[in-house]
Amino acid sequence: MKTVVLKKIVQALTLASAAAFGSSAFAGATWLFGDNNPTNECNATEAAGGCAAQAGSTTGSPSVRVSAFSTTGASGTFAAATLTSWDGGLGVQANGAVNDSGTPQHAIDNSGYTDMILLNFGSAKIDLDSVKIGWNNNGDADISVFRYIGTSASPTPAGLSVTNMSTGGWELVGNYADLSTSGARAVNSTNTSSSWWLISAYSEGFGSSKETAGGTLGSGNDYFKVLSLAGNVVAPPPPSKIPEPGSLALMGIAMAGFVATRRRKSKAI
C-alpha cells in the first residue's frame, strides 16, 4: 500500500513538472517570393514590408520581413544592400557595386561580393526546415544558413565580416552544396529555432558548421535566387497548464512527510 501511494505521489510530481516546463508545439508555414506573378508571390517591396505566410500554413503563422546585405569595398564587411525580386525569387544587388545588376550577379552570389538576406519573423520563433531556389547559374548554388542567438532586439550582420559572424551573435547552422531548382533543400536537421535567420551565398570564411550537406562546397561561382522557405512555428506551452507554485510546494511537502513517516515506522520495527 505504501509503495502504491509513493508511486502516485511521484507520478503527480512528474506530471506537474512536465506541465510547468511544457513542451513546445509546432505548426508548419511556407513563405513564397518572386516577381508577384502569380500574385501570391511576395516581390521585393512586399518582402521588405512583411511577406505573409502562404495559404495552407497554420493559422497565426507570422509574416517575414526580408532585407539584403552584401560585403563592400576592401574592408570586406557587410553593409545594407538592395533587395531585388525576379521570376525565380529574391536576389541582392550590392550598393555601389559595378555590374552587380546584370546576369548572373543580380542574384544572391559570392562573385566579388558575398550576398545574403536577413529574415525577421518578429516575436515568433521559427525552426527553419527548408530553402527552395527558383534559379541558379550553371547548376552551382552553395549556401550558408545562420540563426541569431544573441541578445539584441534588432540584430544585423552590418559591420561584420565573413570571418567574425559569431561575434555579432550569429551561429552558423549549416553549409549546403549544390541546391537545385527541382526541389527544396532540407536544412537545420537539429531543429534549432530563432526569430532571425540569414541565408547567404557560401564563403569559406564562415568556417565549419554543425551540418554540411550536398556535394562539393566552393565560393566565387555560386548564384541563386530564393524562391521559398518552409519552417515550423515554435509555440510556447499554454499558460493554463502551468500549475501555481503553491501546488508544487504542497506536493513536495506531502512527499517529504510521507518519506519521514515511513522512516520512523521502519526504526520502530
Side-chain angles (χ1 to χ4, degrees):
M1 180 66 180
K2 293 176 182 176
T3 302
V4 173
V5 173
L6 179 61
K7 285 183 177 179
K8 288 184 176 180
I9 293 175
V10 171
Q11 289 172 354
L13 287 169
T14 301
L15 291 172
S17 298
F21 292 102
S23 59
S24 299
F26 296 88
T30 303
W31 296 267
L32 182 65
F33 311 101
D35 61 357
N36 209 224
N37 183 26
T39 56
N40 62 324
E41 295 178 345
C42 291
N43 61 27
T45 300
E46 293 166 331
C51 179
Q54 286 290 294
S57 297
T58 301
T59 302
S61 296
S63 295
V64 58
R65 293 179 181 270
V66 186
S67 51
F69 293 85
S70 182
T71 54
T72 58
S75 65
T77 57
F78 286 98
T82 300
L83 186 69
T84 59
S85 51
W86 312 87
D87 58 359
L90 297 176
V92 173
Q93 181 179 350
N95 291 339
V98 178
N99 298 324
D100 204 46
S101 59
T103 302
Q105 284 82 7
H106 65 299
I108 300 171
D109 67 84
N110 51 21
S111 176
Y113 306 89
T114 301
D115 299 333
M116 61 172 55
I117 56 173
L118 171 65
L119 310 171
N120 171 13
F121 292 96
S123 60
K125 296 285 187 182
I126 300 297
D127 161 18
L128 192 64
D129 276 346
S130 67
V131 177
K132 181 173 175 55
I133 63 172
W135 180 92
N136 61 18
N137 186 58
N138 296 325
D140 194 13
D142 303 340
I143 71 170
S144 296
V145 176
F146 292 81
R147 69 170 182 138
Y148 186 68
I149 58 173
T151 57
S152 173
S154 300
T156 175
L160 301 174
S161 71
V162 295
T163 59
N164 68 353
M165 295 294 291
S166 62
T167 64
W170 295 101
E171 178 185 61
L172 180 57
V173 173
N175 294 313
Y176 308 91
D178 302 332
L179 271 70
S180 168
T181 58
S182 63
R185 171 61 61 86
V187 298
N188 185 33
S189 63
T190 55
N191 298 318
T192 57
S193 64
S194 179
S195 298
W196 300 78
W197 291 82
L198 289 171
I199 298 175
S200 175
Y202 171 74
S203 171
E204 288 95 341
F206 290 146
S208 58
S209 63
K210 293 182 178 179
E211 180 174 69
T212 301
T216 303
L217 292 165
S219 61
N221 59 350
D222 299 300
Y223 307 85
F224 61 91
K225 299 169 187 172
V226 173
L227 181 65
S228 67
L229 310 168
N232 293 314
V233 184
V234 183
S240 60
K241 292 186 179 180
I242 299 177
E244 295 180 1
S247 299
L248 292 175
L250 287 173
M251 283 188 283
I253 293 171
M255 181 70 175
F258 178 82
V259 172
T261 301
R262 189 175 182 184
R263 285 177 177 173
R264 284 198 299 271
K265 289 185 177 181
S266 297
K267 290 180 179 180
I269 292 173

